[in-house]
Amino acid sequence: MTTPFRYTQPLPRKAATGRVAEVYNQLALDFGIDEPPTFVVLSSAPELLAATWALMRESLIAGPGSRTGKELAAFGVSQANQCPFCVDAHTVLLHATGDHALAERLARGERPENEGHARVLEWGRRTCVPSPASKPYPFPREHAPGYIGTALAFHFINRIVSALLTENLMPANAQRLRVVRSLAGRSLSRTVRRPARPGTALALLDHAEPGEAPAWAGGTAVGPAYAALLRAAMAGADLLDADDQAVVLEKLWHWDGRHPGLGLEGFPDRRERPGARLALLAALAPYRITDEDVAAWRRPEHTDHCLVHLVAYGAFTAVDRIESALSRPTART
């Protein structure tokens, strides 16, 4: 039986206990999907799963700003990161908001007719470049926690998906059919359009102080959710030695947002530094991770928990670079 999971074997929902089961319950209630692979793939690392869900929920679902606008931002981010799974998912979710014509324009590769929608979509795409090019914001200042949190959540989720899942949102790519997209969206419409109370996901986070919330979060629940994901993801650095960590951080310091060339120039050799290579691929080209890359690093002691944490560390190093640009105070009011 085929699964969407490339390198891990997550437990099914019925076998989940503790915090993982609690996350699954919130996913079913607030996201409308019982076992979305984007989150199930993180289930071997409960602290990562909870923080990823918290950031997405508190920004996209419960954060300030319209759901349609934030779905457009997430669509643009996913396009820029070359994540077809997430692009298709946000097309379906736009159907769920009731914006059927908009969803189908995007599915055809066309520009939104509404100029405000077009600006938000383009802003989402531009956030992949860690520079002031993502300014000014195409939304009011008070909506920044929702939009910025959504963009950063999907810069992380895109990388997890591209690294650890197959590209197919549905079996046989059924979501490529308009009628399937529309029906799937309509099945989620009641959940997507129902108001969500901010802060609910924070109860799932570690009791330890996650760290300082970023200023752009403005005191909303998005801030501690982002800080918790940063803390959980960066713990994966412990899977690399100091030299490998230095290689990863040096490469990220000079990253300009572009996708690497076919030759992956400047990436470590998988035989010499397999961990650093895997982390850097997760950061800059997760869709280029191969079976050979994973096999070169993975040893008997490297469980699914370890692999997920290493990929998450690489993914978040890129998110951290992007966040440092997005957080510069030049937002449009």
Side-chain angles (χ1 to χ4, degrees):
M1 180 177 178
T2 60
T3 79
F5 307 108
R6 296 177 67 195
Y7 305 116
T8 62
Q9 295 180 313
L11 292 173
R13 181 182 180 183
K14 62 183 179 182
T17 59
R19 184 160 36 164
V20 173
E22 292 175 10
V23 173
Y24 285 173
N25 288 338
Q26 282 198 13
L27 279 163
L29 178 65
D30 290 336
F31 197 43
I33 304 173
D34 285 344
E35 295 184 72
T38 45
F39 292 96
V40 174
V41 74
L42 297 172
S43 60
S44 63
E47 65 284 2
L48 270 172
L49 170 64
T52 304
W53 162 242
L55 180 57
M56 193 192 81
R57 183 197 184 276
E58 300 304 334
S59 57
L60 176 69
I61 297 173
S66 80
R67 180 66 183 263
T68 292
K70 289 180 287 185
E71 289 290 349
L72 278 167
F75 186 101
V77 167
S78 301
Q79 270 193 328
N81 287 328
Q82 299 181 15
C83 182
F85 183 107
C86 292
V87 167
D88 289 340
H90 293 296
T91 306
V92 168
L93 287 166
L94 281 166
H95 273 292
T97 68
D99 293 288
H100 304 294
L102 174 60
E104 288 308 306
R105 286 188 70 87
L106 295 181
R108 295 192 298 269
E110 298 173 6
R111 190 175 189 270
E113 289 184 311
N114 179 287
E115 189 59 33
H117 287 167
R119 288 197 298 270
V120 170
L121 177 64
E122 184 57 29
W123 175 83
R125 290 171 177 154
R126 290 200 310 267
T127 62
C128 72
V129 178
S131 77
S134 56
K135 311 298 185 351
Y137 300 143
F139 43 77
R141 185 185 298 274
E142 61 267 24
H143 293 171
Y147 279 90
I148 295 177
T150 294
L152 295 172
F154 283 96
H155 275 297
F156 183 73
I157 291 170
N158 288 167
R159 287 167 166 82
I160 296 296
V161 166
S162 293
L164 299 176
L165 300 182
T166 64
E167 291 186 355
N168 296 351
L169 178 66
M170 298 179 184
N173 269 334
Q175 76 282 353
R176 300 297 167 85
L177 299 175
R178 176 175 181 167
V179 66
V180 173
R181 291 193 295 269
S182 179
L183 287 173
R186 291 173 194 275
S187 73
L188 298 171
S189 62
R190 181 175 295 182
T191 301
V192 166
R193 300 181 203 183
R194 183 178 64 230
R197 182 167 62 89
T200 300
L202 299 187
L204 300 171
L205 302 179
D206 284 335
H207 295 301
E209 175 60 42
E212 183 178 356
W216 52 260
T220 66
V222 180
Y226 180 83
L229 181 54
L230 184 155
R231 181 174 180 269
M234 297 306 282
D238 291 342
L239 291 161
L240 302 177
D241 63 27
D243 289 342
D244 279 351
Q245 289 182 39
V247 168
V248 172
L249 296 178
E250 175 70 15
K251 183 77 171 176
L252 264 295
W253 179 256
H254 296 289
W255 178 50
D256 61 4
R258 288 184 292 184
H259 292 269
L262 292 177
L264 294 175
E265 293 83 3
F267 280 72
D269 187 279
R270 72 169 62 97
R271 293 165 298 183
E272 298 175 1
R273 293 188 180 276
R277 179 183 177 88
L278 196 53
L280 276 172
L281 284 170
L284 306 182
Y287 48 84
R288 301 281 297 279
I289 291 175
T290 65
D291 296 354
E292 291 78 14
D293 291 317
V294 174
W297 170 77
R298 203 161 191 178
R299 299 172 183 167
E301 68 270 22
H302 289 150
T303 62
D304 284 357
H305 177 89
C306 297
L307 177 61
V308 165
H309 262 288
L310 182 60
V311 169
Y313 166 68
F316 209 89
T317 56
V319 175
D320 188 55
R321 282 276 286 125
I322 292 165
E323 190 274 340
S324 68
L326 288 177
S327 62
R328 294 170 195 165
T330 57
R332 174 184 173 181
T333 57

